Amino acid sequence: MAQRKPRERDMLDSMYSMLALVFILVACVELCDAATVVDVYRLIQYDISGVPFGSRFATLNHHAGSLHFPSGADLSRTVVMIPLRELNITFVREYVSRKQPLGGLLFLLPEMFKLDNGGSSKGIQDKQMMKNVLVELERLLVHSKIPYPVYFAFENDEIDAVLDDVKKNDATGQPATATTGGFKFVVPTSEPKKVASPTITNIQGWLQGLKADGDANQLPTIAIVASYDTFGAAPALSVGSDSNGSGVVALLEIARLFSLLYSNPKTRGRYNILFGLTSGGPYNYNGTHKWLRSFDQRLRESIDYAICLNSIGSWDNELWIHVSKPPENTYIKQIFEGFTNVADELGFKVGLKHKKINISNPRVAWEHEQFSRLRVTAATLSELSAAPELLESTGGLLDSRHFVDETAIIRSVKLVAESLARHIYGYEGKNIQIFADNSSLAINPSYVRSWLDLLSQTPRVAPFLSKNDPFVLALKKELADHTDEVNVQHEVLDGMFTFYDSTKASINIYQVLSVTFDLLLLLVLGSYLIVLFSFLVITTRGLDDLISLFRRPPSRKVKTA
C-alpha cells in the first residue's frame, strides 16, 4: 500500500499536467484568433416634443451580412454592412421606412471623412455624387424612428477584408448564422440614457468705440454673430466645416482685423462692435434667443444692425443676404448697397432675399430672425439661397473639410470687413481698401486655415459639449485676445429637444465557425482526453486497474440485528 500511493500520486500529477497543457493550448488558440476592434459612431437618438427619432438602441450582438444576401433571407439577426460607395438607398428606405426586421446597419465611410484625415480626398472620383448620396441618406436616417442599432465606421484594411469574406458567403447563398458560422459583430455598450439638462454656452466680446469729447450719448453698435454648434446623423462626427465652421472662422478673423484698428485711438471708430458666438443654432437658434433676451433695453436699442454669418465656405460667385424687413427699409438698403459695392470691386455678386416672419410660427429659419422678433435690424449672409428645413444643413457627415474652400471664407471676410469699415468710417460708395492685401491690415490666410482645420476636427453637437469643454474655452480665449471684454452665458437647452448619450463605441468583430465544426472539435477533444487518461492509467497502474474503473461497484448490504 505504501508503494502504491506514490504511483497513484504520480499518475494524478501527470494527468493534471496534461490537462493543464491542453487548456493552455486551447486558450492560446483563442487569443491568437482574438476579435478585430473597430471604432464606430452611432446614429443620433433624440426626441422632439416627445416624438422619438433616430436609432433607439446601441447594444449589438449579431452576425454580419452584406447587400448580396439571398432573396427572401431573414435579416432580423443580421447586421448589414453597407459601404457608402455601394449604397442602395432603396434598400435602406425599405427597411427603415417600412420598419422591416433587421438586426442592425453598419455604414462604411471613405477614409476621407476621418476627422484627422488632413484634408486629403484622394480616391474620391465624384465629390458631388458623394454629397448627393449622403444628403439623402442623412435626411432619411435623422427623420425616422429606427428600432435597431445603426452605426458608422471608416473603411480600413481589416474591415474591408471582413466585408469581402461576408460578400463571398452571401453570394453562395449561405448567409452567416449560428449554424453556418461567419463573422459576428458585438458592441458591448449600455443602452442609451437621456442627457440631463444639456447646456448651451454663448460667448460675446466687445470692441469699445471712441466717444467724442463731452458726448454723453451711448455709441451705436454693430453686431457680428455666428452660431458655432452643429447637428448631424452621427454626433461624434458632426464637425460642420461649412455650417457653421466657416462663419465662426470669419467672425474670429473679423474680430482680429478690427482689434488692430481699435487698438489705436487714432483709428478707433465711433461704433461699438459686438461679437457673438452663439450655441443652439440647429435648435431654432435657441442660444441666440436667450442671449438677446439677456440684453437690457438700452443695449438692444443701440444696435444699428446685426450681421449673422452662416455657411460661407463653399460658394463660387454669389452670396445672399437674407432679411426679414422689407428691402425698402433704410437700414436694409444701406446694408445691401454697402455689401454690393464691395462685392462688385471683388468680382462677385450679392443677392437679396426677403422672407417675412410669421409671428405665430415658433420656427426660426435664420439666426437674424431672432433679432427681428425683437425689432432689431439684422441680416444673414449665406451661400444658401433658401432657408433650410429644421435640422438640415447644420453640419452633417458631408459637411467636412474636403467640401470647404478657405478662399471662399477669405473672400467673405473681405466683403464683411470692408463693408463694415466703410460704414463705420464714413467711406460708403468710395473705392477705398482698408484691409488691402500685403498691408498690415491684410487678411491672414494662415489664421483662417488653422482655425478651419481645428473646427473640422472638433464635433460640436451642443448637448454633448459641456460648458467647460476645451473647445468652448478655446473660443473664449481667442475672442478675449481680440476684444476688450468677454462675457460667457450658460443656459439650458429648451425642453422641446431631448437627446441620448452613447454616441461612440467600439465594435468587436469575431470570426465564428459553424455548430458542426464545434461538435466535431468537441468530439476530437473528448476522444483525445479519454485516450490520454486510459494511457496514463495503464502505464502507471496497469490494465486491470483501468478495467476496474468501469466495473460496477458491489452493492453494500446493510446488516440488520
Side-chain angles (χ1 to χ4, degrees):
M1 290 291 293
Q3 293 178 353
R4 190 167 183 175
K5 284 185 178 179
R7 289 178 64 192
E8 290 178 358
R9 202 176 298 115
D10 292 343
M11 180 194 73
L12 291 172
D13 290 344
S14 300
M15 186 171 67
Y16 291 148
S17 298
M18 292 302 294
L19 287 173
L21 179 60
V22 170
F23 287 128
I24 289 172
L25 289 173
V26 171
C28 288
V29 170
E30 291 297 327
L31 286 172
C32 292
D33 193 26
T36 297
V37 181
V38 176
D39 289 333
V40 289
Y41 308 88
R42 193 169 77 96
L43 174 66
I44 195 164
Q45 178 179 349
Y46 68 103
D47 304 336
I48 300 181
S49 300
V51 180
F53 294 96
S55 174
R56 311 308 294 182
F57 292 94
T59 304
L60 199 60
N61 191 350
H62 294 310
H63 285 83
S66 70
L67 289 174
H68 300 274
F69 58 87
S71 177
D74 179 11
L75 301 180
S76 59
R77 295 190 60 79
T78 299
V79 180
V80 179
M81 305 173 69
I82 306 178
L84 192 62
R85 307 168 194 271
E86 303 174 13
L87 179 65
N88 184 337
I89 196 67
T90 303
F91 164 81
V92 178
R93 185 179 291 108
E94 181 177 347
Y95 274 82
V96 169
S97 301
R98 299 181 185 177
K99 304 292 190 295
Q100 293 202 29
L102 193 64
L105 284 170
L106 177 62
F107 294 99
L108 303 180
L109 304 174
E111 277 194 303
M112 67 172 286
F113 287 98
K114 278 191 175 181
L115 304 188
D116 58 353
N117 184 259
S120 171
S121 55
K122 190 176 181 180
I124 299 298
Q125 301 299 325
D126 191 344
K127 283 187 180 182
Q128 191 58 46
M129 183 186 72
M130 192 70 71
K131 289 182 72 171
N132 295 339
V133 167
L134 271 174
V135 167
E136 191 171 1
L137 175 64
E138 282 201 271
R139 185 180 292 121
L140 175 62
L141 296 177
V142 164
H143 296 290
S144 301
K145 175 187 175 184
I146 305 176
Y148 45 78
V150 179
Y151 284 97
F152 298 88
F154 294 108
E155 294 174 341
N156 58 35
D157 293 340
E158 291 84 1
I159 206 162
D160 287 347
V162 170
L163 179 61
D164 289 341
D165 286 344
V166 170
K167 284 181 178 179
K168 291 175 185 176
N169 291 339
D170 288 350
T172 62
Q174 293 287 333
T177 64
T179 304
T180 62
F183 287 91
K184 196 166 193 178
F185 289 168
V186 179
V187 178
T189 185
S190 58
E191 287 305 328
K193 297 180 179 63
K194 291 182 180 180
V195 177
S197 303
T199 59
I200 51 178
T201 302
N202 299 316
I203 308 167
Q204 72 174 34
W206 280 94
L207 279 177
Q208 299 289 343
L210 184 65
K211 282 189 177 183
D213 292 338
D215 186 1
N217 295 324
Q218 184 170 349
L219 289 176
T221 301
I222 294 176
I224 311 297
V225 188
S227 178
Y228 66 82
D229 59 334
T230 63
F231 178 91
L237 298 176
S238 183
V239 297
S241 297
D242 193 9
S243 177
N244 189 31
S246 61
V248 172
V249 172
L251 181 145
L252 292 176
E253 175 64 354
I254 293 168
R256 188 189 70 83
L257 293 173
F258 276 93
S259 71
L260 296 174
L261 280 172
Y262 274 52
S263 62
N264 186 342
K266 294 181 180 179
T267 56
R268 187 183 305 171
R270 301 195 183 280
Y271 276 81
N272 297 323
I273 306 179
L274 172 63
F275 297 94
L277 290 167
T278 60
S279 183
Y283 323 113
N284 237 26
Y285 293 99
N286 189 240
T288 310
H289 168 77
K290 294 186 174 184
W291 180 52
L292 293 175
R293 293 287 179 181
S294 70
F295 291 179
D296 60 40
Q297 188 65 27
R298 288 186 66 225
L299 170 57
R300 215 177 290 156
E301 291 176 351
S302 76
I303 299 176
D304 265 15
Y305 59 82
I307 300 296
C308 303
L309 308 175
N310 181 297
S311 302
I312 52 175
S314 59
W315 55 280
D316 292 321
N317 195 45
E318 188 168 25
L319 282 171
W320 297 93
I321 295 177
H322 298 269
V323 296
S324 300
K325 292 186 176 181
E328 297 79 21
N329 178 275
T330 303
Y331 279 114
I332 298 301
K333 287 178 67 176
Q334 186 181 55
I335 295 170
F336 181 61
E337 288 176 2
F339 276 64
T340 300
N341 291 336
V342 175
D344 289 343
E345 295 169 17
L346 296 175
F348 56 86
K349 298 178 181 178
V350 173
L352 186 67
K353 293 278 186 176
H354 173 230
K355 175 181 169 295
K356 191 175 180 180
I357 292 178
N358 183 358
I359 300 297
S360 62
N361 184 1
R363 164 84 172 103
V364 176
W366 297 106
E367 188 166 19
H368 75 264
E369 293 181 13
Q370 291 289 14
F371 287 84
S372 298
R373 285 173 180 262
L374 296 176
R375 302 184 184 280
V376 176
T377 302
T380 294
L381 181 70
S382 177
E383 69 209 11
L384 303 176
S385 60
E389 295 297 324
L390 181 66
L391 300 181
E392 293 188 6
S393 298
T394 52
L397 290 171
L398 66 89
D399 194 352
S400 66
R401 181 70 173 85
H402 316 285
F403 301 105
V404 176
D405 180 7
E406 62 195 61
T407 303
I409 299 177
I410 291 171
R411 291 195 295 166
S412 301
V413 170
K414 191 75 173 286
L415 171 68
V416 176
E418 289 287 358
S419 301
L420 293 183
R422 293 182 188 187
H423 176 69
I424 290 171
Y425 297 104
Y427 292 146
E428 288 101 338
K430 298 178 182 179
N431 189 358
I432 297 175
Q433 286 199 27
I434 297 175
F435 302 100
D437 296 339
N438 302 317
S439 71
S440 60
L441 293 175
I443 294 170
N444 187 341
S446 297
Y447 182 85
V448 170
R449 187 181 305 113
S450 62
W451 269 99
L452 181 60
D453 289 343
L454 175 62
L455 285 155
S456 300
Q457 297 172 19
T458 309
R460 303 187 305 283
V461 177
F464 308 107
L465 277 178
S466 69
K467 57 187 178 182
N468 293 318
D469 187 272
F471 175 75
V472 174
L473 297 178
L475 284 181
K476 176 186 174 183
K477 180 181 181 304
E478 190 64 26
L479 204 56
D481 288 345
H482 304 312
T483 56
D484 303 325
E485 179 185 343
V486 169
N487 295 312
V488 177
Q489 177 191 28
H490 302 297
E491 295 285 349
V492 176
L493 184 66
D494 277 351
M496 174 184 176
F497 293 90
T498 302
F499 292 87
Y500 296 77
D501 59 14
S502 295
T503 61
K504 184 179 179 180
S506 294
I507 191 168
N508 299 301
I509 304 176
Y510 297 95
Q511 186 167 13
V512 293
L513 300 173
S514 66
V515 172
T516 305
F517 178 84
D518 291 340
L519 293 175
L520 181 61
L521 181 61
L522 181 62
L523 180 61
V524 171
L525 285 176
S527 301
Y528 170 75
L529 292 175
I530 291 172
V531 171
L532 177 63
F533 177 76
S534 301
F535 174 77
L536 291 173
V537 172
I538 291 172
T539 56
T540 57
R541 299 178 58 183
L543 181 60
D544 290 340
D545 280 359
L546 177 63
I547 295 174
S548 67
L549 291 175
F550 298 97
R551 286 178 181 161
R552 185 176 180 182
S555 61
R556 296 180 180 179
K557 294 183 179 181
V558 181
K559 293 182 180 181
T560 58

